[in-house]
Amino acid sequence: ASVMAPFRKPRAQSSAVCLLLGAVAAVLGIIGLAAHHTHQQAASHHDVIHHFHSSSSRLGGGKRAGHVSQHPKADRFRSHVRARVDAHKNADGDNLDDLRSADETISSFPVKTIREDATSHSVSIADQCGESHANTEYWGDVVEEGTVGLIRTPEECCRRCGETTGCNVWVHCGDAESCHGSCWLKRTADPTAPTVHASGANVPWTSGTVLKDFDPTPGKGASLGASEAFVALVTPAGRIRIRLKPEWHQLSSEHVARLADENACSGSCHLYRTEPGFLLQGTLRSFKVAANKDLKKGPKLMERGDIGWAGEGPGPDFFIYLGEKPADWLGYGHTVWGVIADEESLATVEKIVAMPSHTPGGPNTMRFLKEKMYFDI
């Protein structure tokens, strides 16, 4: 007994450890079964969602959850172009910061795609295309996304760019294993000197430019005489007449006058934000005229009907102030260059402000028109 006694205590400890391990294993088994059940539910839910979205997917195809692609190279291309789209453009293309200029944060912008009559060009589209560069990808803001298999040749892609308002850069893919037939339409401020994003034997893109929809004389404004100058925003809701105020800021007034002289807003300028009792906001971004670059603080507190550049910047985003009292809380930071010319125009502005709108960010956030309102000037 005296010899065996020392071994009884460790044996008891061993039994306790075994019981503890058994309990842990049982708990882990229960957790594993629950996790498996949850995973099956999640997979089923994901499958339903994926099936719902796959019918309208432009790049992803109709794969279901768990599908193993037969074309991994094409799938990598789809991931690549989705990342490329995200890098090029934001969800709305518009300024989402309170009175912040879009130029400070956004390099791309939305366009209302317009197909032009090829016969209206003074130079044929074929002549406009000029040289193309194989194994080269040009950078630019996306005007129209590419879809695999849509456009067969670089010449067709260039022609499509020539017929699309706002496009002056095109890239076409001829790689039969991945992106064959994909034609992306883009734009740049100066198509005479496009930016090369990638080049080399492994680059499947052919790129080129069309010398249109850009400003060959950036910074040039229209000459304003001694008499009062007016422009009008021609919207679906009616005309908004604006009296330009060069005495407040000469260069901004000349810039807006040039937009009107050259009918430079078609397909790009639009209204997008509405705050009842505060403002109506939009953009004067143009395909033909480079954005204004000049600022002048003040010279006055904004009053009802005054118009200035948003975000204390130089544009192209602008806003019409609609408060009943002078905006002393805004101070003198905004460049103010115009004023609503008459009560009829002010009533049109208020009518637009009252149109259907929403707050995508939730309650007490910025309010946007449900549908952007494009206008000419």
Side-chain angles (χ1 to χ4, degrees), residues 232-245:
L233 310 186
V234 183
T235 80
R239 295 170 68 90
I240 301 173
R241 296 183 69 244
I242 297 170
R243 182 168 70 248
L244 299 177
K245 302 290 285 186

Side-chain angles (χ1 to χ4, degrees), residues 24-204:
V24 170
V27 171
L28 291 175
I30 293 172
I31 293 174
L33 287 172
H36 177 71
H37 180 66
T38 301
H39 172 76
Q40 285 186 318
Q41 287 184 319
S44 176
H45 179 64
H46 177 271
D47 196 46
V48 171
I49 293 174
H50 188 86
H51 178 73
F52 175 79
H53 285 291
S54 64
S55 61
S56 59
S57 174
R58 297 178 64 184
L59 295 173
K63 299 193 298 289
R64 296 170 62 84
H67 172 81
V68 179
S69 175
Q70 298 179 26
H71 305 285
K73 188 173 182 181
D75 289 341
R76 287 196 299 273
F77 165 72
R78 292 186 181 104
S79 299
H80 166 75
V81 294
R82 177 52 53 201
R84 187 62 52 85
V85 173
D86 293 340
H88 272 299
K89 66 179 185 178
N90 74 322
D92 292 316
D94 287 319
N95 165 24
L96 300 181
D97 294 328
D98 190 25
L99 290 180
R100 182 177 176 83
S101 170
D103 263 0
E104 297 175 11
T105 56
I106 298 169
S107 64
S108 60
F109 54 96
V111 297
K112 183 171 61 175
T113 301
I114 299 174
R115 301 289 180 218
E116 299 176 352
D117 182 357
T119 60
S120 67
H121 295 281
S122 57
V123 180
S124 72
I125 292 172
D127 292 338
Q128 284 180 314
C129 286
E131 294 183 353
S132 62
H133 298 274
N135 302 116
T136 302
E137 181 187 4
Y138 285 166
W139 204 241
D141 298 329
V142 174
V143 173
E144 188 172 302
E145 295 181 24
T147 301
V148 174
L150 183 65
I151 304 298
R152 292 173 296 177
T153 66
E155 291 75 18
E156 289 183 48
C157 187
C158 179
R159 186 177 300 109
R160 189 175 182 85
C161 180
E163 295 172 351
T164 302
T165 297
C167 178
N168 54 27
V169 172
W170 57 270
V171 295
H172 179 269
C173 179
D175 185 347
E177 294 185 22
S178 59
C179 52
H180 181 63
S182 180
C183 171
W184 287 68
L185 307 184
K186 306 180 182 181
R187 69 167 286 100
T188 183
D190 184 6
T192 65
T195 299
V196 175
H197 176 66
S199 62
N202 293 326
V203 176

Side-chain angles (χ1 to χ4, degrees), residues 193-234:
T195 299
V196 175
H197 176 66
S199 62
N202 293 326
V203 176
W205 302 97
T206 296
S207 298
T209 61
V210 180
L211 299 184
K212 69 180 187 69
D213 294 346
F214 74 105
D215 188 353
T217 56
K220 178 184 177 182
S223 177
L224 297 177
S227 60
E228 290 185 318
F230 295 83
V231 298
L233 310 186
V234 183

